Amino acid sequence: MSKLWGGRFTKQTNHLVDEYTASIGFDQALAEEDIEGSLAHVTMLGKCGILPQEDVEKIKAGLNKVLEKIHNNEIEFSVSDEDIHMNVEKNLIAEIGPVGGKLHTGRSRNDQVATDMHLYLRKRVVELSGMLHELQKALVVQARDNLDTIVPGYTHLQRAQPILFAHHLMAYVSMFQRDIERLMDSYKRINVLPLGAGALAGTTFPIDRHFVAEQLQFDRVYENSLDAVSDRDFILEFLSHASIIMMHLSRLSEELVLWSSTEFNFIELDDAFCTGSSIMPQKKNPDVPELVRGKTGRVYGNLMGLLTVLKSLPLAYNKDMQEDKEGMFDTVATLEGALQLFAPMIATMKVNKTRMREAVNKDFSNATDIADFLVGKGLPFRQAHEVIGKTVLYCIQNGKYLLDLTMDEFKQFSELFDDAIYEVLQPETVVNARNVYGGTATDQVADAIKRSEVLMRMTEQWLEEHQ
Ligand code: ARG
């Protein structure tokens, strides 16, 4: 069969041009959305009296048949039909005859492809929010199990102050909460219908865009037909949110890699989530977090790629915009691949509480608290800082930790020390002293977990409403 747009042409398309310009190789992923949009469109054509009901019924049956065949892998997509839209239409015509050619009345591929992308991304945003939610749940379970696990907290990757391991995990729960909220917010801008914009200017047929929107459950229709067909902000927005999600995952990945090294030995990832070395039999490599860390690069790349494609593009549709798809599909696949592994990997992670405790006992992360102790006795903080600096230096030079010092040794540095200091310096005391909203004290972290569970229930409700 010749091209659907072949009328104006006197020659066959060069086959290299066909191959170069075709998007069917990747946009076949939009088959379902394409047919979903077409079903709504043709129903509207019937309702508005643009097509006789009899034709509408034939076209709908034909579209459903094509969809079924696609699902059963019975359709061979063809590069000479360029993209999913024309491949579906060709197959529809093959299925029901020339009446299939009426489907495209009052529509252009420009508003059609934009509609497909909106439908596609709308589903993915819900799916991905659900996956982030699962990861949060796994983190919260670990946090609950580690409400009594004290670990050094770091700044500059130097031991800073002891914290609850639960508190550390809950930081990620907050990060993923923002990610979910960003995705939920973006849904508002995704859930807008472009169809009815035609190629760029609208259509001469008396269509009803709001009826199409209602059938497809879009909240709104695009205000401006030029904007409708040339807007890809919603994809850019998705790619930026995806980049931030990957950045968060890469930070957690980096910590998992560090923590599972022999040097830290804070956690052990389950065997099911690690791989071995082909030469060094003793090895168990944290490949999953490493690869997630690495794949962050391609997601950033996809964002930069599309920003650059869209830069300076004149209105309205330009073929450049076909380049919006592969990066988006790749980003969805990369995110889903990472998230589907992360939740069970976190859930099965073993926490080496004893080793974490040893690390806390053998460091100076309680130093701030003796400074605060002296401040409590009336010493200005700057002077207290100086006193403790000297005390720590003395310890380092004598191979001791603060809790090893005798009262006489303490008194060398300040007369203000008394026996209470031994209690003040206990890791539990240090942690529980940070009893401020958002701090690491056990009660505070337990409250934070409860608050996060409230937010997580709100996510669940949103997911239910948008399933
Ligand atoms: N495959 C095209 C794309 O993805 C569909 C729109 C084509 N429109 C056109 N006027 N050539 O962008």
Side-chain angles (χ1 to χ4, degrees):
M1 254 207 276
S2 61
K3 294 267 197 271
L4 287 170
W5 42 252
R8 185 232 176 274
F9 288 76
T10 52
K11 275 190 181 177
Q12 292 272 312
T13 320
N14 180 314
H15 76 278
L16 289 176
V17 171
D18 268 345
E19 269 166 35
Y20 190 68
T21 56
S23 53
I24 187 62
F26 46 88
D27 68 11
Q28 49 184 277
L30 296 171
E32 258 177 40
E33 288 76 10
D34 197 68
I35 292 176
E36 196 183 342
S38 288
L39 285 167
H41 175 69
V42 76
T43 306
M44 179 278 292
L45 293 178
K47 183 211 143 217
C48 295
I50 300 166
L51 288 190
Q53 204 50 42
E54 192 193 328
D55 291 352
V56 171
E57 294 312 323
K58 277 189 205 142
I59 293 172
K60 281 169 124 179
L63 283 169
N64 283 319
K65 185 80 198 153
V66 173
L67 182 61
E68 189 189 314
K69 284 191 166 177
I70 292 175
H71 282 153
N72 297 337
N73 269 331
E74 284 162 22
I75 281 185
E76 222 175 282
F77 293 117
S78 137
V79 163
S80 75
D81 290 325
E82 201 176 319
D83 54 27
I84 186 61
H85 325 295
M86 291 202 291
N87 269 273
V88 168
E89 195 177 323
K90 262 282 180 70
N91 277 281
L92 174 69
I93 293 169
E95 202 66 49
I96 62 170
V99 63
K102 295 188 177 184
L103 167 64
H104 212 51
T105 312
R107 181 176 81 170
S108 151
R109 273 186 297 156
N110 297 350
D111 55 348
Q112 186 181 358
V113 70
T115 303
D116 291 6
M117 301 286 274
H118 280 268
L119 286 169
Y120 171 87
L121 212 49
R122 182 172 83 173
K123 292 183 207 158
R124 300 294 94 79
V125 158
V126 176
E127 248 166 46
L128 287 165
S129 304
M131 295 177 96
L132 284 164
H133 174 71
E134 290 304 313
L135 176 53
Q136 281 185 316
K137 285 205 295 202
L139 286 162
V140 167
V141 170
Q142 284 284 8
R144 281 203 174 284
D145 288 349
N146 285 286
L147 262 175
D148 57 349
T149 310
I150 301 180
V151 69
Y154 295 81
T155 62
H156 310 267
L157 209 53
Q158 304 286 321
R159 289 180 186 178
Q161 292 173 354
I163 54 172
L164 292 185
F165 188 54
H167 193 50
H168 197 118
L169 295 174
M170 289 306 292
Y172 282 102
V173 173
S174 288
M175 288 148 84
F176 294 128
Q177 182 63 32
R178 288 195 294 276
D179 290 333
I180 290 173
E181 287 171 16
R182 266 188 285 270
L183 289 180
M184 287 175 172
D185 189 67
S186 73
Y187 191 95
K188 291 186 241 163
R189 284 168 297 280
I190 299 174
N191 209 23
V192 186
L193 175 76
L195 207 65
L200 75 164
T203 171
T204 55
F205 293 96
I207 60 166
D208 183 347
R209 299 184 66 202
H210 293 94
F211 178 69
V212 177
E214 224 173 89
Q215 288 181 84
L216 294 173
Q217 290 169 3
F218 280 105
D219 295 325
R220 289 177 291 150
V221 303
Y222 269 87
E223 279 297 311
N224 179 295
S225 61
L226 292 166
D227 184 41
V229 291
S230 64
D231 174 32
R232 295 295 182 271
D233 295 1
F234 66 104
I235 304 178
L236 279 180
E237 206 180 316
F238 169 70
L239 295 176
S240 354
H241 297 343
S243 296
I244 298 177
I245 295 169
M246 286 304 288
M247 178 272 286
H248 287 160
L249 286 173
S250 79
R251 296 182 77 169
L252 180 52
S253 293
E254 173 70 8
E255 300 210 290
L256 295 175
V257 171
L258 279 174
W259 291 340
S260 51
S261 67
T262 310
E263 285 69 15
F264 273 84
N265 192 18
F266 282 177
I267 59 151
E268 188 182 351
L269 295 176
D270 195 81
D271 276 7
F273 294 93
C274 293
T275 57
S277 156
S278 57
I279 171 168
M280 297 163 283
Q282 83 284 8
K283 294 201 69 185
K284 176 169 155 183
N285 296 328
D287 280 30
V288 172
E290 288 175 88
L291 205 49
V292 168
R293 195 173 58 183
K295 281 181 187 285
T296 305
R298 66 201 287 159
V299 173
Y300 291 5
N302 292 335
L303 169 63
M304 279 305 133
L306 186 60
L307 277 169
T308 313
V309 167
L310 294 170
K311 177 186 173 295
S312 315
L313 265 194
L315 301 185
Y317 179 84
N318 299 273
K319 184 73 171 180
D320 314 44
M321 289 161 70
Q322 182 167 289
E323 284 290 303
D324 60 359
K325 289 176 197 61
E326 285 159 291
M328 181 187 71
F329 293 145
D330 180 67
T331 298
V332 168
T334 305
L335 237 59
E336 293 191 342
L339 287 169
Q340 103 194 350
L341 287 173
F342 246 80
M345 184 171 69
I346 292 294
T348 53
M349 165 181 93
K350 277 205 201 71
V351 177
N352 194 345
K353 299 187 183 201
T354 324
R355 168 66 200 137
M356 287 182 178
R357 183 56 189 229
E358 277 165 20
V360 169
N361 289 345
K362 292 205 164 54
D363 75 6
F364 294 99
S365 60
N366 45 4
T368 314
D369 291 66
I370 357 178
D372 291 352
F373 173 83
L374 295 180
V375 169
K377 301 268 177 200
L379 200 63
F381 182 78
R382 241 344 110 209
Q383 262 168 274
H385 190 286
E386 172 79 14
V387 168
I388 308 312
K390 293 217 163 80
T391 316
V392 168
L393 182 63
Y394 171 86
C395 287
I396 293 170
Q397 285 166 347
N398 293 278
K400 294 184 171 197
Y401 292 98
L402 290 166
L403 273 170
D404 301 331
L405 298 183
T406 62
M407 191 37 61
D408 284 347
E409 286 176 302
F410 272 124
K411 295 258 192 210
Q412 289 167 220
F413 301 100
S414 170
E415 276 305 319
L416 294 171
F417 282 117
D418 59 44
D419 275 347
I421 195 66
Y422 294 107
E423 187 48 38
V424 165
L425 287 181
Q426 290 303 327
E428 281 73 15
T429 320
V430 174
V431 163
N432 286 317
R434 267 112 190 123
N435 194 11
V436 54
Y437 189 102
T440 194
T442 314
D443 289 349
Q444 294 295 343
V445 177
D447 281 354
I449 291 178
K450 280 194 209 118
R451 288 194 300 270
S452 79
E453 284 168 340
V454 172
L455 293 174
M456 285 164 59
R457 275 199 293 281
M458 283 164 66
T459 305
E460 271 163 26
Q461 206 180 326
W462 185 87
L463 289 171
E464 251 168 54
E465 286 162 11
H466 292 82
Q467 236 29 277

